[in-house]
Amino acid sequence: MTGPDFDAVVTRLRAAGCVFAEDEAELLVSAARDRRELEAMVRRRVDGQPLEHVIGFAEFCGLTVLVDPGVFVPRRRSEFLVGQAAKLTPVRGIAIDLCCGSGALGLALAAAVELAGLHSVDVDPAAVRCAHRNVAATQPPAHSSASLRVYLGDLYEPLPDSLRGRVDVLLANVPYVPTGEVPFLPAEAREYEARVALDGGADGLDVLRRVAGGAAHWLVPGGHLLIEISERQVPAAEAAFASAGLRPAVVSSEELGATLIVGGSPA
C-alpha cells in the first residue's frame, strides 16, 4: 500500500519508535473509515497505546480476535501453547481456558481440534465481555459443534460442578511476571493492559500454584494442564505441579521464545 496518507503515517510511526512502521501503517490505514478516524488512531498509537487496542483486533493462530481497550493482547509466543494443547486434546474432548483474556487461546484450540465443549474463565469483567464478543463473532469450523461458554470469576470458582473429572485439557495463560518486575515491563503492557493479567505475585507463580492445586479435581485420568512460564521459573513450577499430583514436563520453542510446563494427571 502506498500513497500520501500511508507515507505520512509511516513517517510518524517511525519517529515514535515503532519498529514495524510499514506493517502497522498498513493496518491503521486499512482499519480507518476516513481520514479523521485515521488521524485519531495514529495519534493513539504514537502516544504508546498497543496497536491491537487501537485497531480493535489481533491476529492469532490464523484467527482475527477482537481485543478491547484494557484487555490483555494475545502474544504470538502463546501460539506454541495452543499447538501443544491441540496435540493432547482428543477428538470431542472438553477443554477449559483459564485466565482467558480475549478468549484467543481457547478459540484457537477449538479451531484446531473438534471439541465437545470449551469453557473460558477470567476474573476481569472487561476481558469476559471481550471474550463473549469473540465467541459471538466466531464462525466455527466445519468439524466443530462445540459448546462455547464464557464465565466471570476466579479460576475454577464459576465452572459448573458437572465438569469435575471430565476435562481433557486445561490451558491457562496465567499472569507470571513477578510483582517487582511489573514496573519494568514495556509501557504498552504496564499502562494499557489490566494489572491482574500481568502480576503473578512475588515470584510470578502465585496463580500457577492455585491453578495446579485445583487441576486434579477437573481433569480426566490422563488429562493435561498446560501453562506458559519463563525459563527461570521452571524448577519452582515443576515443584508446584509435582506437589499437586501432576507429572510435570517442560517443552519450549526457541523460534517463538516460549516455555511451557505440562502436567499430566495420573491415568
Side-chain angles (χ1 to χ4, degrees):
M1 180 180 295
T2 58
D5 287 340
F6 178 78
D7 294 340
V9 171
V10 170
T11 298
R12 292 173 65 183
L13 293 177
R14 281 178 177 162
C18 298
V19 177
F20 302 104
E22 290 84 358
D23 294 338
E24 293 195 12
E26 185 169 349
L27 287 168
L28 289 165
V29 171
S30 298
R33 290 169 292 187
D34 52 42
R35 288 187 173 180
R36 184 175 180 178
E37 185 174 48
L38 177 62
E39 170 60 28
M41 293 171 73
V42 172
R43 188 181 304 118
R44 289 172 61 196
R45 181 60 181 137
V46 168
D47 287 344
Q49 294 188 36
L51 176 67
E52 294 82 1
H53 288 169
V54 174
I55 62 176
F57 66 88
E59 298 294 335
F60 184 78
C61 288
L63 303 178
T64 298
V65 179
L66 303 174
V67 184
D68 294 335
V71 174
F72 183 81
V73 176
R75 278 40 167 181
R76 183 166 177 261
R77 64 174 174 268
S78 297
E79 293 184 356
F80 182 63
L81 191 158
V82 173
Q84 294 300 305
K87 294 177 182 178
L88 298 170
T89 305
V91 174
R92 301 292 299 163
I94 294 175
I96 291 176
D97 178 12
L98 293 181
C99 306
C100 71
S102 64
L105 275 67
L107 290 174
L109 179 62
V113 181
E114 180 181 0
L115 297 177
L118 169 66
H119 302 264
S120 302
V121 184
D122 204 286
V123 73
D124 178 13
V128 169
R129 287 193 296 269
C130 186
H132 272 299
R133 291 180 64 216
N134 278 309
V135 166
T138 296
Q139 296 294 327
H143 67 242
S144 177
S145 58
S147 170
L148 308 179
R149 300 283 304 277
V150 183
Y151 308 83
L152 172 64
D154 183 26
L155 300 182
Y156 303 106
E157 181 271 331
L159 292 169
D161 285 341
S162 59
L163 287 176
R164 288 182 181 272
R166 297 180 54 225
V167 177
D168 298 283
V169 169
L170 203 165
L171 59 160
N173 192 15
V174 305
Y176 61 91
V177 179
T179 301
E181 296 180 16
V182 171
F184 304 105
L185 289 173
E188 288 186 17
R190 70 174 187 270
E191 294 182 11
Y192 296 103
E193 294 178 323
R195 176 108 182 193
V196 71
L198 304 170
D199 190 340
D203 66 351
L205 298 178
D206 283 0
V207 182
L208 177 145
R209 292 188 181 93
R210 294 179 59 214
V211 172
H217 299 292
W218 300 90
L219 291 172
V220 298
H224 293 86
L225 166 64
L226 301 91
I227 300 182
E228 184 178 298
I229 56 174
S230 69
E231 285 188 17
R232 64 180 176 171
Q233 292 171 325
V234 165
E238 287 181 315
F241 271 46
S243 294
L246 302 171
R247 299 186 304 271
V250 176
V251 291
S252 60
S253 166
E254 184 175 347
E255 176 187 359
L256 293 177
T259 300
L260 308 178
I261 182 162
V262 181
S265 177

